[in-house]
Amino acid sequence: MGFLGGVFKKKDLEIGSPCSGVCVSIKDVSDPTFSEEILGKGIAVRPEDGKFYAPVNGTINTLFPTKHAIGITSTEGVEVLIHVGLDTVNLKGEHFTTHTEAGATVSKGDLLLEADLDAIAAAGYDTITPLLICNSGNYADVVPSVEGKVSQGDCILRIKI
């Protein structure tokens, strides 16, 4: 905690990229559930490979049976949703391999799941991966910190306390 102008200010929380790829605005996602921030504020990544890692330290609170999405509650209480692709729930788990389970404690950088991006795209699905803060309303703001090329783990969102 720093002291600034007589007011204590907590450090922003940083959310890492779950994969390597290209970050784009959540507004550029073609699904309005994400682009209109219905589930929370966030950012999206066009993944360059099919490996997805924990963007924070925390606990897996949701691992969808279809393996296309994972919810993590960070140690600070931030609710992060990683949603691999659009409408990929319809694949019913095909082309996805999980490396974790609901209730597991994870560290930033732990491998959570793998997806065969080529097979998913060949099946007609967009592989863009929204990363949302589902409890955005609990924070002063959720701000994208980068656009363009990122590596897994790079800070892509800042949570203003």
Side-chain angles (χ1 to χ4, degrees):
M1 249 192 288
F3 190 75
L4 180 64
V7 178
F8 285 99
K9 180 179 164 96
K10 292 181 182 177
K11 184 178 183 241
D12 295 346
L13 300 175
E14 296 184 349
I15 308 298
S17 180
C19 58
S20 295
V22 177
C23 268
V24 298
S25 169
I26 197 70
K27 306 269 188 219
D28 294 339
V29 176
S30 63
D31 184 330
T33 301
F34 301 114
S35 63
E36 295 176 13
E37 299 180 331
I38 293 168
L39 299 176
K41 292 183 177 186
I43 196 165
V45 183
R46 292 196 181 282
E48 67 182 21
D49 65 34
K51 293 184 179 183
F52 297 87
Y53 301 86
V56 293
N57 296 328
T59 303
I60 303 296
N61 58 28
T62 307
L63 177 57
F64 287 76
T66 50
K67 306 175 188 175
H68 75 289
I70 293 180
I72 305 167
T73 301
S74 79
T75 53
E76 300 86 5
V78 178
E79 296 173 4
V80 181
L81 175 67
I82 303 166
H83 193 284
V84 181
L86 302 182
D87 297 321
T88 49
V89 64
N90 298 326
L91 291 170
K92 298 182 169 107
E94 189 175 357
H95 311 304
F96 292 94
T97 303
T98 57
H99 296 282
T100 191
E101 59 189 26
T105 299
V106 295
S107 296
K108 184 176 178 179
D110 287 353
L111 181 63
L112 301 178
L113 69 86
E114 292 182 77
D116 184 336
L117 299 179
D118 292 335
I120 292 167
Y125 296 91
D126 188 341
T127 59
I128 195 165
T129 300
L131 183 141
L132 305 174
I133 306 304
C134 295
N135 60 345
S136 299
N138 293 354
Y139 304 101
D141 206 356
V142 175
V143 182
S145 58
V146 68
E147 277 195 11
K149 180 86 172 108
V150 294
S151 295
Q152 177 272 317
D154 289 352
C155 177
I156 58 173
L157 284 177
R158 292 188 188 283
I159 310 295
K160 306 282 185 185
I161 306 288

